[in-house]
Amino acid sequence: MTIIKLDATDSTNSYLKRLQTSENVEDFTAVMAKKQTQGRGQMGAVWESQASKNLTFSVFKDLSDFSLETTFGISLAVSLAIRKALQAFLIPQLSVKWPNDILSVDKKICGVLIENVIKQNAITGSIIGIGLNVNQVAFDHLPRASSLKMITGTVYNLDEMAHAILNQLKVHFDLLESGDFLALKAEYESCLFRKNKPSTFKDAEGSLFSGFIKGVSNFGNLQVLVEDNIIKEFDLKEVTLMY
Ligand SMILES: O=C(O)CCCC[C@@H]1SC[C@@H]2NC(=O)N[C@@H]21
């Protein structure tokens, strides 16, 4: 597993995307940058991260020989791999906020941006961008963000953390490849943030509604009990969990 280390780039996801169009990139090649000038988050958001304090890295997963039933499998493997790696560092109360934010003690410590590489109408690879807040100690205007250092008081080595996540990514993609999709989904649902708790959501029009998260579909849609016996499914563009 090659790790390319950069002092700065626009976005490690964009860097890896460019690299794989110009050369043959091996499975699990990773790009790590001390600083991103245009870090990207989900749904077009900006990802901000203090230089040299956190992990901002992207991993290329070759999917050309991978039989993938649904792309949600990638999301499952990635979220659970990060969670497992962090468990080994004894990070407390880890949960996954749908679809793939990692929380500790109900605060967001890690965001994931998965971008698929499509060639001739088929998904041939995935660029998995991981922003893990490690040693940063303040997040102005982001009251729900935190870092490993803020939670445990420990300063962590970024290289060690990256290797631990890479190893777990490999383990979890192997599980996915050997047909463990439903087992991974069950594990994901067992650590799903606010599952079965009364929660408030915002729909695409901006209206609030309440319900209980029950799980996820095989395609990764969030299943919410909105009224007695009525479960509705939402995709990422259709709903935001307001906590
Ligand atoms: O929660 C989110 O919105 C996803 C954040 C993903 C951030 C990471 S940092 C490394 C990689 N490069 C990027 O530009 N984004 C991802």
Side-chain angles (χ1 to χ4, degrees):
M1 293 189 283
T2 313
I3 301 190
I4 301 167
K5 292 187 179 177
L6 306 171
D7 282 334
T9 187
D10 51 352
S11 145
T12 52
N13 264 38
S14 307
Y15 182 98
L16 203 42
K17 206 184 279 180
R18 290 190 293 270
L19 190 69
Q20 65 81 39
T21 54
S22 65
E23 61 182 74
N24 194 22
V25 174
E26 256 181 53
D27 208 14
F28 292 105
T29 296
V31 177
M32 230 171 122
K34 288 186 182 157
K35 180 181 164 168
Q36 293 188 124
T37 53
Q38 289 172 61
R40 297 186 285 113
Q42 277 179 17
M43 312 274 290
V46 171
W47 183 257
E48 291 193 33
S49 179
Q50 251 174 36
S52 302
K53 294 277 182 193
N54 301 317
L55 258 189
T56 46
F57 81 127
S58 303
V59 181
F60 177 72
K61 174 68 197 127
D62 187 350
L63 296 172
S64 46
D65 292 324
F66 204 95
S67 80
L68 199 62
E69 278 168 47
T70 104
T71 52
F72 185 54
I74 304 170
S75 217
L76 290 180
V78 172
S79 320
L80 294 175
I82 298 170
R83 183 169 174 269
K84 202 39 150 286
L86 294 175
Q87 273 174 337
F89 286 91
L90 306 179
I91 308 304
Q93 292 177 55
L94 291 162
S95 59
V96 181
K97 179 166 176 263
W98 178 80
N100 42 30
D101 287 350
I102 311 294
L103 313 190
S104 168
V105 203
D106 295 352
K107 298 266 187 167
K108 178 165 172 173
I109 51 165
C110 182
V112 175
L113 178 66
I114 299 171
E115 297 182 298
N116 292 324
V117 177
I118 299 173
K119 286 182 185 154
Q120 285 153 2
N121 283 330
I123 297 177
T124 56
S126 210
I127 293 169
I128 301 156
I130 298 173
L132 175 65
N133 299 332
V134 183
N135 297 319
Q136 184 170 334
V137 290
F139 294 89
D140 295 342
H141 321 298
L142 292 172
R144 295 202 169 110
S146 192
S147 70
L148 305 187
K149 164 94 168 47
M150 285 165 76
I151 287 166
T152 65
T154 305
V155 173
Y156 297 87
N157 179 295
L158 298 181
D159 284 344
E160 240 179 73
M161 202 57 85
H163 276 104
I165 294 176
L166 264 176
N167 287 335
Q168 284 300 331
L169 281 173
K170 179 127 198 6
V171 168
H172 283 79
F173 273 103
D174 283 351
L175 288 172
L176 190 62
E177 195 160 30
S178 56
D180 277 2
F181 175 85
L182 289 177
L184 290 174
K185 183 162 103 79
E187 191 184 335
Y188 175 96
E189 287 177 325
S190 75
C191 57
L192 197 52
F193 178 63
R194 292 206 69 77
K195 189 175 170 204
N196 289 327
K197 292 187 179 155
S199 303
T200 305
F201 304 85
K202 187 160 76 179
D203 68 19
E205 282 78 47
S207 307
L208 297 180
F209 65 94
S210 36
F212 295 77
I213 293 176
K214 300 311 283 180
V216 284
S217 73
N218 287 355
F219 299 97
N221 288 340
L222 189 68
Q223 296 168 326
V224 183
L225 179 75
V226 287
E227 276 170 53
D228 279 354
N229 299 319
I230 300 183
I231 292 182
K232 277 193 180 173
E233 289 193 359
F234 299 93
D235 72 23
L236 199 52
K237 291 182 272 341
E238 292 170 332
V239 78
T240 311
L241 169 60
M242 305 301 289
Y243 280 78

